[in-house]
Amino acid sequence: VHNGVVVKDAASGETLAHRYLEAELYARALAILRQAASPMLYVDHFPCSPPSSSVQREPEAIDILHEAGDRAHAFQAEYLHDNRAVAQQVDSLDAPGSRALVMLSCMADEASLRPLQREIEAQLAAHTRTHFLINKNYRGFILEVVSAAAGKWPALRALAEAEGIEPAEIVAVGDDENDAEMLAEAGLGIAM
């Protein structure tokens, strides 16, 4: 889940493994991303299955924290509107409390995000990974910041090792740069 930051049991939703962002790195990446717009913070509290519309959501079910919509880029505001069932507006992302910090993400145009990616990589490369993705369901692009220890391949490899599965026995499918390592390392990598 979230580019290998979290490994979940599909039946129970239990977190089996994680590689969260450290608080200090989070604060530094947040300051950089804010140069374009207010980012989103993904936290490890989402449910296994979508709730029915008649069910009152518990705070633990929230997946995305964000600041006021007027601080977000228009592309991100559309996304947050469509995903309001799993998003919660907060006054500030500065103090996320004891939440498990999965990922920082910002949706905007390429010209706004590329310089931020370069700045994060220059300042935090030893401690974070960035993904610059085409926003396939919305307009623009997505810049994601996760722990350097996170990744789809490290998470998949650890899960496979625990189950006695060799890399050569793994088939992986992906469609963007965040999948490249996994596609290269799996026994069969399929790029869409």
Side-chain angles (χ1 to χ4, degrees):
V1 178
H2 293 305
N3 295 306
V5 174
V6 180
V7 176
K8 294 273 187 183
D9 179 282
S12 70
E14 176 189 2
T15 298
L16 303 176
H18 59 79
R19 292 169 178 87
Y20 299 135
L21 269 171
E22 296 175 13
E24 179 189 334
L25 296 172
Y26 165 78
R28 292 173 65 190
L30 178 64
I32 294 169
L33 289 178
R34 278 188 169 149
Q35 294 175 44
S38 178
M40 297 175 288
L41 170 60
Y42 288 74
V43 294
D44 186 10
H45 291 289
F46 55 92
C48 293
S49 57
S52 70
S53 58
S54 63
V55 174
Q56 181 70 12
R57 294 184 61 85
E58 297 295 326
E60 300 85 275
I62 296 300
D63 181 24
I64 305 166
L65 301 177
H66 64 94
E67 295 172 336
D70 61 342
R71 297 182 204 166
H73 189 282
F75 298 169
Q76 183 167 297
E78 292 171 7
Y79 173 83
L80 287 169
H81 178 267
D82 289 353
N83 291 281
R84 59 190 175 275
V86 294
Q88 178 181 14
Q89 182 176 315
V90 295
D91 291 335
S92 173
L93 293 175
D94 289 324
S98 61
R99 292 180 174 96
L101 309 178
V102 172
M103 173 177 68
L104 274 168
S105 176
C106 197
M107 296 177 183
D109 56 275
E110 184 173 11
S112 297
L113 295 179
R114 280 290 185 195
L116 302 183
Q117 180 186 25
R118 289 191 290 272
E119 187 173 344
I120 289 169
E121 289 175 348
Q123 292 186 30
L124 306 173
H127 307 288
T128 63
R129 278 186 195 225
T130 63
H131 303 120
F132 194 89
L133 310 169
I134 297 169
N135 198 342
K136 294 170 185 70
N137 295 317
Y138 293 87
R139 297 183 290 159
F141 295 83
I142 307 167
L143 176 57
E144 298 176 338
V145 182
V146 298
S147 166
K152 291 184 180 185
W153 178 247
L156 181 55
R157 183 183 61 223
L159 185 61
E161 285 174 1
E163 297 294 325
I165 300 168
E166 295 295 322
E169 299 175 284
I170 297 173
V171 176
V173 179
D175 66 353
D176 215 322
E177 73 173 37
N178 58 334
D179 301 312
E181 179 186 25
M182 178 179 67
L183 298 179
E185 298 293 336
L188 177 60
I190 301 168
M192 296 164 41

